[in-house]
Amino acid sequence: MEGLIYWFHGLKVELTSAALVSMTSHRQARFFSKEAGGQMFAKLSADHWRIEVATGPRHGDKRGRFHFWPNRKAEQEEINRFYEQGLEFVGDWHTHPENIPRPSRQDVTSVQNIVRESVHHLP
Ligand SMILES: [Zn+2]
């Protein structure tokens, strides 16, 4: 699987093949498949974010066909562990049981809360 590259103004955001494989291996391909999700960690420079790791799902996450509630303690442990390896937490991911996924209202609120509550120096 090829990696993907997105441009946000002058910022290049690269999803590596390894991270994509981790996420796509949890696609909800069957009617009974549960939502899966995790966190993304990247090597950062001023004009290039390279997302190298996509974690999850983890033991202790609560998963259903239409919901995913992560284990917050496990998330913080991941953030600490990858930070020591030079990788910064840059966001969450989760699956949807839709061919063309659209963020739910709860998804949007949740992302806004993460940005508001995070202490970081990222653009
Ligand atoms: Zn969602």
Side-chain angles (χ1 to χ4, degrees), residues 16-79:
T16 60
S17 173
L20 273 176
V21 166
S22 298
M23 290 187 261
T24 55
S25 69
H26 298 290
R27 280 179 57 213
Q28 292 177 261
R30 298 175 192 275
F31 74 90
F32 53 80
S33 301
K34 292 177 175 176
E35 286 197 9
Q39 302 187 112
M40 296 182 289
F41 294 89
K43 280 235 164 67
L44 305 185
S45 66
D47 55 2
H48 185 188
W49 291 12
R50 186 178 149 85
I51 298 170
E52 298 190 350
V53 176
T55 64
R58 290 152 303 236
H59 192 67
D61 293 336
K62 294 199 171 63
R63 302 171 59 192
R65 178 160 161 73
F66 298 105
H67 70 263
F68 178 77
W69 291 305
N71 177 339
R72 293 293 174 201
K73 187 166 175 288
E75 285 186 328
Q76 188 60 52
E77 285 165 4
E78 285 180 358
I79 289 170

Side-chain angles (χ1 to χ4, degrees), residues 73-115:
K73 187 166 175 288
E75 285 186 328
Q76 188 60 52
E77 285 165 4
E78 285 180 358
I79 289 170
N80 298 345
R81 176 156 45 93
F82 285 109
Y83 187 78
E84 286 173 9
Q85 300 171 27
L87 294 168
E88 301 233 23
F89 167 67
V90 290
D92 292 335
W93 70 272
H94 66 258
T95 62
H96 272 207
E98 302 168 284
N99 286 331
I100 302 173
R102 280 175 308 175
S104 66
R105 180 178 307 204
Q106 192 189 336
D107 289 340
V108 174
T109 308
S110 145
V111 167
Q112 287 169 339
N113 287 340
I114 288 169
V115 172

Side-chain angles (χ1 to χ4, degrees), residues 6-17:
Y6 299 95
W7 288 93
F8 298 95
H9 305 284
L11 177 66
K12 178 182 180 182
V13 176
E14 179 182 358
L15 265 167
T16 60
S17 173

